[in-house]
Amino acid sequence: MEIPENIQQQLNQFQQLQQQAQAVTMQIQTVEVQIQETEKALEELNNTDESTEVFKQAGNLLIKVDYKDALEEAEDKLETLKLRKQTMARQEERVMKKLEEMQTNIQAAMQGMAPNGA
């Protein structure tokens, strides 16, 4: 039994949406790791004295920075990463909902193709 072209197109769109969902999920995982690293850096900064020398990585170099600047930068980075994660989670939610809808539609179309009495 041959699959009609409109159902084949829906299947192709479904596959593309699945790939998009996987990509978003991987991006969220990457951001979560960055959040954990930034939180650890903030924790370390908060456990040190303001007179402690602080360095930040710039490519292959370590550059001495002001303690307060490093703290502020880490806090800003953490806030940005958390917002990014929220945005990506909403995107993931929309993609998953669309996948569910498409799956239901494809299944209904495929059942409609089944020979009577099957």
Side-chain angles (χ1 to χ4, degrees):
M1 173 171 70
E2 190 156 325
I3 298 175
E5 190 171 326
N6 66 329
I7 295 177
Q8 187 61 49
Q9 287 176 349
Q10 287 180 356
L11 287 170
N12 289 341
Q13 289 175 344
F14 185 78
Q15 265 186 327
Q16 289 172 350
L17 208 53
Q18 279 181 316
Q19 290 171 352
Q20 184 180 349
Q22 288 174 339
V24 171
T25 300
M26 288 173 50
Q27 290 172 352
I28 289 172
Q29 290 172 347
T30 300
V31 170
E32 286 174 343
V33 168
Q34 292 173 337
I35 287 171
Q36 290 172 357
E37 289 173 352
T38 305
E39 286 175 338
K40 181 67 176 162
L42 266 171
E43 182 183 327
E44 290 299 324
L45 279 172
N46 287 322
N47 288 336
T48 61
D49 186 77
E50 283 189 35
S51 63
T52 303
E53 287 187 340
V54 179
F55 296 84
K56 79 174 190 177
Q57 189 170 346
N60 292 333
L61 301 174
L62 289 178
I63 308 290
K64 185 176 178 181
V65 293
D66 181 67
Y67 176 90
K68 288 181 181 178
D69 290 343
L71 187 61
E72 186 178 313
E73 185 178 322
E75 289 170 344
D76 288 347
K77 181 178 180 179
L78 182 60
E79 183 180 338
T80 300
L81 287 169
K82 286 182 176 181
L83 286 172
R84 190 166 163 207
K85 181 182 172 188
Q86 286 178 341
T87 301
M88 292 165 74
R90 284 193 300 270
Q91 181 182 0
E92 181 183 41
E93 190 177 306
R94 285 191 303 270
V95 170
M96 297 307 275
K97 185 176 180 181
K98 179 73 174 165
L99 273 173
E100 288 175 18
E101 291 171 6
M102 286 184 76
Q103 183 176 9
T104 301
N105 292 340
I106 291 170
Q107 285 174 340
M110 295 293 283
Q111 286 175 353
M113 286 178 40
N116 289 339

